């Protein structure tokens, strides 16, 4: 289940006196039942808030549906890892004291990268040159019980070759598994899913009970032969070549200086010869001083970064607060409004605007497009009202408007007479321009 504010989410219990035919509110995501709508609404808001986190991947700032999807994707990713590997990894957590999952992941990758398990599908290298690898399944592991540490390449595995009844015995360096089975991402995801912290001081992790039951970790027959080698480092083989003549360090340096002199780099050779030798203790002190200086620089850089982040958060918090308009620092002055200059009286300006709006809406019906292709502007109205000529602009506007109004009145009278003559009643509505259309529509 996803975590709510980094803590386990505890759903609400069912009401004890719940009836079978009772109407309730069901939250689909949490599978909770509420009788009160306010409680159901608050839980729905909480489910859609960015306060959830995925328990397996550690992703935060998610809604509940996103966190559930993240956990489903993590479980699907784990299904691609063989069950044998899951058992072996969880068995180590179950039988050992694990204090850090990060260190545990590194140790598991190093341990199982060169070791294999019974029932695991592997690829067997052929001894014949030029032949390809063969797929097989590990059936048995043979280790030497007398040795304190068994080198991975010395462990003998019995494998059954796929597709045949042959049994082969090979060492660990002749086997390999698919690269996608054992990766850091999957091991880390498995450790987070299967383990939980049972103690904080000292830190200690244990396998969850459901994983113990699912993977049968308490089964007496389940065992890993080389588990005692876990946590022990593999001894490294020194492959450095020795000097052929057994020369010591002084002879090696003298040879380098001689070579530089032969190449003409005498100045550098002389400087290196004069350079005083530094003891191991002084060199160790210099290295420690350099480490301390780098650590101090990193600490200062982290502190500066924290201060910058805190300042930015404070600025964002102050910036998002609601403020009065007069307190805003980025306010701008209103633009200067140019006054309307007209020869008409100011008291008649509103009526002129109404007449202009009338011509704008009904100018198409009045047939004014020929004289006024761009519409009747306020300037044209002003000129028609001021001009006192008989056949001026005012006469054209009034004449055309009067003819249009009289025509519309005549259509209205004819329509009313037509309806009343048919006995349909005067409450029916007929479009004023319906008689001009090819067919009359009566609604």
């Amino acid at each position: 289940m996803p975590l709510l504010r980094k803590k386990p989410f505890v759903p609400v219990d069912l009401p004890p006196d719940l009836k079978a035919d009772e109407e309730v509110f069901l939250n689909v995501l949490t599978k909770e039942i509420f009788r009160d709508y306010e409680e159901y609404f608050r839980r729905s808001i909480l489910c859609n808030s960015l306060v959830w986190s995925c328990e397996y991947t550690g992703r935060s700032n998610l809604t509940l549906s996103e966190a559930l999807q993240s956990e489903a994707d993590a479980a699907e990713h784990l299904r691609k890892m063989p069950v044998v590997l899951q058992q072996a990894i969880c068995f180590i957590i179950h039988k050992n004291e694990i204090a850090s999952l990060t260190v545990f992941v590194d140790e598991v990758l190093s341990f199982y990268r060169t070791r294999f398990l019974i029932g695991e599908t592997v690829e067997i290298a052929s001894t014949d040159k030029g032949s390809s690898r063969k797929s097989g399944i590990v059936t048995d592991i043979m280790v030497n019980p007398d040795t304190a540490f068994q080198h991975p390449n010395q462990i003998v595995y019995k494998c059954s070759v796929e597709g045949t009844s042959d049994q082969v015995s090979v060492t660990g360096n002749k086997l390999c598994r698919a690269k996608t089975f054992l990766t850091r991402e999957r091991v880390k995801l498995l450790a987070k899913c299967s383990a939980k912290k049972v103690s904080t001081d000292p830190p200690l992790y244990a396998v969850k009970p459901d994983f113990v039951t699912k993977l049968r970790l308490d089964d007496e027959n389940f065992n890993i032969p080389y588990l005692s080698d876990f946590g022990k480092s593999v001894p490294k083989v020194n492959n450095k070549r020795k000097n052929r003549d057994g020369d010591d360090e002084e002879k090696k340096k003298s040879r380098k200086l001689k070579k530089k002199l032969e190449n003409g780099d005498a100045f550098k050779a002389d400087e290196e010869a004069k350079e005083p030798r530094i003891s191991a203790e002084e060199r160790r002190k210099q290295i420690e001083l350099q480490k301390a200086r780098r650590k101090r620089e990193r600490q200062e850089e982290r502190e500066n970064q924290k201060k910058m982040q805190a300042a930015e958060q404070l600025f964002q918090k102050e910036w998002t607060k609601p403020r009065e308009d007069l307190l805003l620092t980025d306010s701008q002055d209103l633009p200067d409004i140019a006054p309307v200059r007209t020869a008409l009286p100011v008291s008649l300006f509103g009526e002129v605007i109404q007449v202009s709006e009338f011509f704008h809406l009904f100018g198409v019906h009045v047939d004014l497009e020929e004289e006024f292709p761009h519409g009747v502007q306020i300037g044209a109205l002003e000129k028609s009202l001021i001009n006192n000529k008989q056949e001026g602009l005012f006469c054209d506007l009034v004449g055309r408007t009067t003819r249009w109004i009289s025509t519309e009145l005549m259509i209205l009278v004819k329509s009313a007479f037509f309806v009343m003559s048919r006995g349909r009643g005067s409450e029916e509505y007929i479009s004023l321009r319906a008689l001009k259309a090819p067919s009359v529509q009566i609604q």
Side-chain angles (χ1 to χ4, degrees):
M1 188 67 186
L3 303 177
L4 175 61
R5 297 185 179 93
K6 305 295 184 180
K7 296 181 180 179
F9 172 70
V10 180
V12 177
D13 296 333
L14 290 175
D17 55 345
L18 187 65
K19 299 179 181 179
D21 56 347
E22 185 177 352
E23 292 186 358
V24 293
F25 301 97
L26 172 65
N27 190 304
V28 181
L29 295 176
T30 60
K31 304 296 186 298
E32 294 174 303
I33 291 178
F34 300 93
R35 285 174 171 168
D36 186 15
Y37 177 76
E38 294 295 333
E39 295 179 1
Y40 166 75
F41 181 74
R42 285 194 294 269
R43 182 51 52 91
S44 300
I45 294 297
L46 182 64
C47 292
N48 293 322
S49 303
L50 300 177
V51 294
W52 301 86
S53 58
C54 179
E55 184 181 7
Y56 300 152
T57 61
R59 292 179 57 195
S60 57
N61 296 331
L62 303 175
T63 62
L64 180 57
S65 59
E66 293 173 346
L68 289 172
Q69 184 62 38
S70 178
E71 290 189 354
D73 294 341
E76 182 64 26
H77 195 57
L78 278 181
R79 289 192 192 98
K80 298 178 181 178
M81 178 184 283
V83 180
V84 181
L85 274 175
Q86 296 185 30
Q87 286 180 323
I89 295 172
C90 294
F91 189 73
I92 293 177
I93 305 176
H94 191 54
K95 295 298 182 181
N96 295 275
E97 295 182 355
I98 305 300
S100 173
L101 291 182
T102 305
V103 177
F104 170 74
V105 170
D106 295 335
E107 291 179 350
V108 164
L109 288 173
S110 176
F111 185 71
Y112 281 121
R113 187 169 285 133
T114 54
R115 294 174 175 86
F116 303 90
L117 302 161
I118 297 176
E120 185 178 2
T121 303
V122 294
E123 293 183 357
I124 308 168
S126 178
T127 55
D128 300 334
K129 293 184 178 180
S131 59
S132 59
R133 293 177 177 268
K134 299 178 182 179
S135 297
I137 299 176
V138 179
T139 58
D140 194 10
I141 303 174
M142 292 178 290
V143 295
N144 188 0
D146 299 332
T147 58
F149 179 82
Q150 191 82 18
H151 196 277
N153 294 335
Q154 297 174 354
I155 302 175
V156 180
Y157 300 89
K158 282 187 178 181
C159 303
S160 61
V161 182
E162 196 174 87
T164 63
S165 59
D166 299 340
Q167 291 278 343
V168 294
S169 297
V170 292
T171 54
N173 56 355
K174 299 293 183 181
L175 300 178
C176 66
R177 63 168 61 90
K179 294 182 179 180
T180 57
F181 287 165
L182 192 67
T183 60
R184 180 179 297 275
E185 181 182 359
R186 286 186 177 172
V187 174
K188 186 177 181 180
L189 183 60
L190 177 62
K192 286 186 175 181
C193 293
S194 61
K196 66 176 180 180
K197 185 178 284 188
V198 295
S199 175
T200 56
D201 190 18
L204 189 63
Y205 288 87
V207 182
K208 297 178 181 178
D210 54 342
F211 273 85
V212 174
T213 306
K214 176 184 175 182
L215 300 177
R216 296 175 302 189
L217 300 181
D218 288 334
D219 191 354
E220 297 179 356
N221 297 326
F222 183 77
N223 188 24
I224 302 175
Y226 45 77
L227 184 61
S228 59
D229 295 338
F230 181 76
K232 299 178 182 178
S233 59
V234 179
K236 297 181 180 179
V237 180
N238 189 7
N239 294 325
K240 294 183 179 180
R241 294 177 58 187
K242 296 182 179 180
N243 296 330
R244 290 175 295 180
D245 301 331
D247 296 339
D248 55 3
E249 292 294 328
E250 295 296 333
K251 290 185 178 180
K252 286 170 63 177
K253 288 183 178 180
S254 63
R255 272 206 314 271
K256 288 182 180 179
L257 293 175
K258 185 178 179 180
K259 194 172 182 180
K260 289 182 179 181
L261 288 172
E262 292 175 353
N263 293 335
D265 200 358
F267 178 75
K268 289 184 178 180
D270 189 37
E271 289 294 329
E272 289 184 5
K274 293 180 180 179
E275 183 180 355
R277 295 183 60 184
I278 301 175
S279 63
E281 184 67 22
E282 292 178 353
R283 185 176 296 277
R284 186 180 60 80
K285 290 182 180 180
Q286 290 180 359
I287 293 174
E288 289 180 355
L289 290 175
Q290 291 177 359
K291 288 183 178 179
R293 187 181 71 255
R294 287 197 295 267
K295 184 177 180 180
R296 186 170 59 254
E297 291 176 354
R298 287 196 297 267
Q299 184 68 20
E300 292 176 356
E301 185 178 355
R302 283 195 294 268
E303 291 178 356
N304 294 334
Q305 190 173 4
K306 287 181 180 179
K307 290 180 181 179
M308 292 176 61
Q309 290 178 355
E312 185 177 357
Q313 290 177 359
L314 181 61
F315 174 76
Q316 292 290 342
K317 185 177 180 180
E318 293 293 332
W319 182 260
T320 53
K321 284 183 178 179
R323 292 182 292 176
E324 295 291 337
D325 295 342
L326 298 178
L327 299 178
L328 297 177
T329 57
D330 56 346
S331 302
Q332 297 181 359
D333 297 333
L334 294 175
D336 297 332
I337 302 175
V340 179
R341 302 188 181 280
T342 177
L344 297 174
V346 179
S347 59
L348 299 178
F349 185 73
E351 283 77 359
V352 173
I353 294 296
Q354 290 182 353
V355 173
S356 176
E357 184 180 5
F358 170 80
F359 283 117
H360 177 72
L361 296 175
F362 302 101
V364 178
H365 306 290
V366 184
D367 298 332
L368 296 175
E369 294 182 354
E370 296 181 1
E371 288 80 2
F372 303 96
H374 301 291
V376 181
Q377 304 294 333
I378 296 180
L381 283 176
E382 180 183 356
K383 189 182 295 183
S384 65
L385 293 173
I386 294 175
N387 193 358
N388 54 6
K389 294 182 181 180
Q390 294 181 353
E391 297 181 356
L393 185 60
F394 179 77
C395 296
D396 293 339
L397 291 174
V398 173
R400 289 182 179 274
T401 307
T402 305
R403 284 196 298 273
W404 176 72
I405 294 174
S406 61
T407 303
E408 296 297 330
L409 288 174
M410 184 62 67
I411 293 172
L412 178 62
V413 172
K414 288 182 180 180
S415 301
F417 178 76
F418 177 73
V419 171
M420 295 180 66
S421 63
R422 296 187 59 181
R424 299 291 297 276
S426 60
E427 68 275 1
E428 298 188 13
Y429 173 75
I430 296 180
S431 176
L432 296 181
R433 306 192 62 86
L435 296 179
K436 289 187 177 183
S439 61
V440 179
Q441 297 180 357
I442 302 175
Q443 299 181 353

